[in-house]
Amino acid sequence: MADLMQQARELLPCPFCGCAATLRVGERMLVDAHVICEGCSAEGPGFGADATEGDFTMEALEAWNRRAAPEGFVMVPVEPTPERLAAAALAVLAPANGDMELARRAAQIVIQSADAPHGITVDIIAASIATMAPAYRAMLAARPQGVKDA
């Protein structure tokens, strides 16, 4: 049982919004254990009807943690929300610091991968790309933050 409690404390954040998750036990018929996100209410698979308490609870914890995004990644909705787009637009308005080198490297890939029209240079493409990194970061930062314990 101590191992089970430790596992419950080590639940990975929601792979969809990054918020904290909670183990729920005994709330529904036929599904005695599942994990639910405290932010977006995403649910892991339910376990229970034919297993012992420790087994199905551990299965629910392990199933949730297998779904989590890899370290350094977050999963985001397929379509951006108005809040994420607004955050991106505001980030693009601010001058890009340090993103020009990243943009130049990306521009090289674009030039090599596409037939750029005559007169389009790496620097022209890089100037456009330089706005994308801050927008991308701002969109990720605008995702719902983890729910804090009371």
Side-chain angles (χ1 to χ4, degrees):
M1 193 62 143
D3 187 38
L4 182 62
M5 296 310 292
Q6 179 66 25
Q7 281 265 1
R9 284 191 293 275
E10 293 174 0
L11 277 172
L12 295 175
C14 177
F16 302 108
C17 73
C19 291
T22 304
L23 173 68
R24 302 279 176 92
V25 179
E27 291 185 347
R28 296 192 240 150
M29 292 180 62
L30 302 177
V31 177
D32 292 329
H34 68 285
V35 175
I36 187 166
C37 172
E38 295 175 12
C40 70
S41 301
E43 293 187 30
F47 295 89
D50 59 353
T52 65
E53 181 178 338
D55 290 339
F56 72 76
T57 304
M58 189 65 81
E59 286 182 57
L61 295 170
E62 289 171 354
W64 177 267
N65 281 345
R66 276 192 307 271
R67 291 177 54 245
E71 185 70 30
F73 288 77
V74 295
M75 296 177 76
V76 294
V78 172
E79 294 296 323
T81 63
E83 294 80 11
R84 287 192 179 114
L85 288 176
L90 292 171
V92 168
L93 295 175
N97 349 322
D99 285 322
M100 211 48 208
E101 183 54 36
L102 176 65
R104 280 191 185 95
R105 291 194 322 251
Q108 288 288 347
I109 295 169
V110 170
I111 292 283
Q112 292 170 1
S113 301
D115 289 328
H118 182 70
I120 299 295
T121 66
V122 168
D123 286 336
I124 291 171
I125 294 172
S128 175
I129 292 173
T131 64
M132 295 176 188
Y136 177 78
R137 289 184 202 110
M139 290 177 79
L140 291 178
R143 76 183 190 281
Q145 298 303 302
V147 177
K148 299 195 187 284
D149 294 329

